[in-house]
Amino acid sequence: MGYYYFDWTYILVIAGALLSLLASWNVKSSYNRYARIANMRGLTGAEAARRILEANNVMNVQVQHVRGELTDHYDPRTQTVNLSDSVYNSTSVAALGVAAHECGHVMQHETGYVPLQIRTALVPAANIGSRFGIYIVILGLILAFEPLTTTGIWVFSLAVLFQIVTLPVEFDASRRALSMLEGYGMMGQEEVGGARKVLTAAALTYVAAAAASVMSLVRLLILRDNRRR
């Protein structure tokens, strides 16, 4: 009679997936709530971004519109702050928070913020790690060749490191954003509180992603060690 073996390490995978889903739901819920509240100055996300850049004498970065929802990002290669459909022309508290957050990344780049430099340097290695690391591990386990398995784990670790380094970068960008929105008189304290909730929810998606990556790494280590026995 055959029997089934339950691999308990799948619990780590499931827990990571649930964390990511919860964080995603939380950020959408927070964003949608404050996307319905207009800021008292009537500024659009694009106008707020331009004001922040001008206030900091950053003349070489352009603010432009990109398609999609929550596809906002700062691209240091093209020196552009890219704002999505729901941010660029919106006057909501959420839109200003997101726009200011991307400008926070600009200020990190302008001031040589070290964690951002480390994250940027890790991008090529992290891409390789996220794409091929697990597959190398699986191949090593199938072939029962531990050096290959260990190599895969090290490669995947680069992607995990990238996720971890991303955390201070995102939290710092939000801190800068809230400080600039209030300091430059674009939001009152109550509105800043709403923007803080949106940006905190967004930051927690990165925390969830990092936690899920760490759990996956722990699972790979356990699978390798089990094969040694």
Side-chain angles (χ1 to χ4, degrees):
M1 181 180 293
Y3 65 90
Y4 293 97
Y5 168 71
F6 174 69
D7 182 0
W8 70 268
T9 62
Y10 278 119
I11 295 175
L12 296 173
V13 177
I14 295 171
L18 288 176
L19 277 176
S20 296
L21 286 173
L22 181 60
S24 178
W25 171 83
N26 186 42
V27 70
K28 288 180 180 179
S29 177
S30 297
Y31 185 87
N32 289 337
R33 177 183 177 185
Y34 288 99
R36 294 191 291 268
I37 302 175
N39 70 83
M40 63 181 181
R41 303 295 185 190
L43 294 170
T44 65
E47 290 171 339
R50 293 189 180 101
R51 288 195 181 192
I52 290 173
L53 295 177
E54 290 174 3
N56 287 279
N57 296 315
V58 179
M59 305 302 178
N60 58 328
V61 176
Q62 302 298 313
V63 179
Q64 62 183 29
H65 175 250
V66 292
R67 293 182 179 180
E69 182 180 1
L70 299 180
T71 52
D72 312 88
H73 64 282
Y74 165 59
D75 190 340
R77 298 169 301 177
T78 59
Q79 294 187 309
T80 55
V81 170
N82 301 280
L83 302 179
S84 64
D85 295 329
S86 58
V87 173
Y88 190 87
N89 287 316
S90 174
T91 60
S92 72
V93 168
L96 262 66
V98 173
H101 175 87
E102 299 310 326
C103 290
H105 286 309
V106 174
M107 300 315 302
Q108 289 174 337
H109 187 258
E110 291 291 315
T111 58
Y113 183 61
V114 174
L116 178 63
Q117 294 177 337
I118 295 173
R119 187 179 75 165
T120 300
L122 283 172
V123 168
N127 286 337
I128 294 173
S130 61
R131 291 179 183 178
F132 304 112
I134 290 181
Y135 295 109
I136 297 173
V137 172
I138 292 173
L139 182 60
L141 292 173
I142 292 173
L143 299 176
F145 187 53
E146 186 176 319
L148 184 60
T149 303
T150 300
T151 298
I153 289 173
W154 278 108
V155 172
F156 182 73
S157 297
L158 296 173
V160 177
L161 179 60
F162 177 83
Q163 295 282 5
I164 293 172
V165 172
T166 293
L167 297 181
V169 174
E170 294 301 324
F171 278 101
D172 179 76
S174 292
R175 179 191 63 78
R176 293 172 189 256
L178 296 170
S179 177
M180 292 186 291
L181 285 172
E182 186 172 16
Y184 299 154
M186 288 185 276
M187 277 188 172
Q189 286 188 346
E190 186 173 343
E191 291 177 317
V192 169
R196 178 177 287 106
K197 290 179 180 178
V198 172
L199 295 181
T200 299
L204 289 177
T205 63
Y206 292 98
V207 174
S213 295
V214 170
M215 289 180 188
S216 294
L217 178 59
V218 169
R219 178 172 182 263
L220 295 178
L221 289 168
I222 292 171
L223 291 175
R224 183 196 63 180
D225 291 345
N226 285 343
R227 279 299 179 93
R228 287 176 175 175
R229 299 169 185 171

